[in-house]
Every structure is written in C-alpha cells, then in structure tokens.
Amino acid sequence: MPDPQTQSFKPSFGRELNIESIISAPLVAASKANVVMVTGQTRFLLDYCFNKEEDETTYRPVMIEMSLERGIIDNTKDPSDPDYVTRAQLTFNMPLLCLVPLNSLVIDKVTVDFDMEITSVTSYDSKHGIINKQAQLNGKISNDHKDASNPNKNSSQMSSKLKVGIHAGPLPLPVGVLAILDLYTKSIQPLPSAQKPEEDSAANTVSP
Amino acid sequence: MINTDQTIPCPVCQTKIPFDTKQLLMGIQFVCPNCQAAIGLAEQSKPIVEETMNKFDDLKEKLSKKSE
C-alpha cells in the first residue's frame, strides 16, 4: 500500500494500479479534510475562548456576562395589586465557549464506487496472521460500466469512473470540551444563601 | 433558524433553554420553557461575542475553501 505522506495519487485510468491505492486515496483525502476541520476548530478555541496565563501552560476561559430576568411574586401584596408580580434582573457569568456553535460538520461516511478490470494477480509474503501469502490484485478502472439510464449507449463512449460519495454529519463535542461545559453548567447553579446569625440563633431557640 | 443543539441550562430551574448566538447578539432574550426566566446577553459583553462570532465565521469560510 502506498504511503500517503510520500506518494502522490495520480489516477491514470489506462495504467495498472493496485486495488489498495484506488480505495485508499479517497479515504485518505476524507481523513485529511477531517483533520483540517478539527485542527482549525481547536486552534480557534485556544486563541479566542481562552486566555493564556503567564506560565504559558494554563488556559483560563474568557468569561462573558449574561442577564437573567424573571418574575417575583410578592406574597405580602394583593394579587390585584400591579406590584404583586415584579421583574427582577440579575447577571451571571459564563464562559464564551458556551456561546460558540462548535458542532461543526465532519465527514462521517465515504463510499467508493468503481468497476475494476483485473489485469494481474500477484502475491506477497504475509508478515502477520496465519496466512503465508496474500494476494495483490492489480487492474485498471473499467470503462465498460453499464449505464442503467441508457442501456443502448456505446460503452466505448463512456469514460472510466471512480465515484466517491461523501456524507457529512455533526461532529460530537470532544470529551474535554464537554467536561468544561459541564463544570460551568454546575457552577452557575444557584446556591442557598447563608442564613444570618440572628436568624440562626432564632431558629435554634426552642420556644416553651 | 435556531440551532437546537445549542442550549444553556436555566440558572433558576436547570431546564435547557435553546438559544442562537446571533439572535442573542441582536438583543433577543430566550425564555425558559419551565420557569419563564428570560436570559439575554449583557450589553457590555456584546463586543467580545460579536468579534468571536465573526472570527468563527471566517474560520468556517476558510475551512470550506480549503476542503474544496
């Protein structure tokens, strides 16, 4: 199998190619596209959603301020009173990371469709497994692919085809990012306020 | 269109509130379906969120050009 780092894939349909090269080239291309997308997103997160500390190893998330508005019922007033329900406004901080729509697309399915005309079969020694020899199929991408839409079409007019289908789906967030989001989700939960000392002592007093 | 994947937990009752960052930037508030608390982006945080979203759009455009 050719090394994708060093060997380029130049499809020459008239030339003999091994079957691994034909299948692996579109897969390598899809894999590279995924790496480009994920690397770009990670770099973006570190550059814009975190501030680097002076020690150059710690990243502190950039925080933003959000407002929260809700109705408060004043039970001391009559429900017909216009001030029975008042709007209370408060602010809370959350990481900027939570607002960036990180669920980007990623290639999750690649289909490679081609007809191959086997021209030679060779074998090579297998280094792994129980089989001593493994077959190596070589051939050309066939150009006599039947055209279902036009069965009368002369096959010589058809060109050799390697059809690659790509399906992109949403990328699940990495575990690390989910952990950060979960931490901050928990940190914005309200806590019961500490009771005042007078109230504490009053609560502990047992009335006769 | 609201990206339903983006949610924020309601600070009052923890119900997930779906939101859209671009609409938050326009000053729209999103209401908790359970307790009716409304969350919005504070005025002083708009510039930083706007800048980040612009950079994110640039990145997406750059990546789509790269993968073509």
Side-chain angles (χ1 to χ4, degrees), chain A residues 47-178:
Chain A
D47 286 350
Y48 297 106
C49 298
F50 288 87
N51 287 324
K52 215 177 202 180
E53 298 279 284
E54 282 176 9
D55 62 5
E56 296 284 314
T57 53
T58 312
Y59 287 86
R60 193 176 288 275
V62 175
M63 302 298 283
I64 53 152
E65 201 165 277
M66 300 286 288
S67 67
L68 173 76
E69 211 178 297
R70 66 181 303 219
I72 306 276
I73 297 171
D74 189 349
N75 282 326
T76 59
K77 289 181 176 151
D78 191 76
S80 58
D81 192 317
D83 292 334
Y84 178 66
V85 180
T86 51
R87 299 295 291 177
Q89 197 164 29
L90 57 108
T91 57
F92 63 96
N93 288 330
M94 62 182 264
L96 174 61
L97 177 69
C98 296
L99 289 190
V100 181
L102 288 167
N103 288 21
S104 296
L105 289 178
V106 68
I107 297 165
D108 62 357
K109 191 178 174 187
V110 178
T111 52
V112 183
D113 181 25
F114 62 93
D115 285 330
M116 191 171 185
E117 191 184 319
I118 306 294
T119 51
S120 67
V121 179
T122 54
S123 64
Y124 60 93
D125 291 335
S126 173
K127 289 174 186 167
H128 308 287
I130 53 169
I131 303 164
N132 290 333
K133 294 268 184 190
Q134 287 206 334
Q136 168 79 63
L137 299 175
N138 299 308
K140 288 186 257 184
I141 293 178
S142 175
N143 62 1
D144 62 354
H145 187 87
K146 295 285 178 286
D147 187 352
S149 62
N150 188 2
N152 298 324
K153 194 171 180 180
N154 188 343
S155 64
S156 64
Q157 293 171 351
M158 294 171 68
S159 59
S160 301
K161 276 180 188 168
L162 173 68
K163 191 177 166 190
V164 181
I166 286 172
H167 178 264
L171 171 75
L173 285 177
V175 180
V177 177
L178 283 175

Side-chain angles (χ1 to χ4, degrees), chain A residues 182-203:
Chain A
D182 189 45
L183 267 172
Y184 280 97
T185 301
K186 283 175 183 159
S187 73
I188 62 169
Q189 284 178 8
L191 295 170
S193 60
Q195 284 184 312
K196 289 175 186 171
E198 310 90 74
E199 287 175 349
D200 274 339
S201 56

Side-chain angles (χ1 to χ4, degrees), chain B residues 2 14 21 24 28 39 43 45 48 50 54 56 61 63:
Chain B
I2 295 175
Q14 308 310 312
T21 312
L24 272 179
I28 292 171
I39 57 152
E43 204 60 43
S45 291
I48 186 168
E50 195 163 19
N54 288 339
F56 192 66
E61 203 177 312
L63 288 179

Side-chain angles (χ1 to χ4, degrees), chain B residues 13-54:
Chain B
C13 67
Q14 308 310 312
T15 305
K16 285 183 173 176
I17 310 172
F19 73 96
D20 179 69
T21 312
K22 289 192 174 159
Q23 291 187 35
L24 272 179
L25 278 169
M26 286 190 279
I28 292 171
Q29 290 189 319
F30 289 84
V31 178
C32 171
N34 184 44
C35 69
Q36 314 306 316
I39 57 152
L41 187 62
E43 204 60 43
Q44 62 267 36
S45 291
K46 276 185 184 173
I48 186 168
V49 177
E50 195 163 19
E51 192 195 334
T52 309
M53 287 306 290
N54 288 339

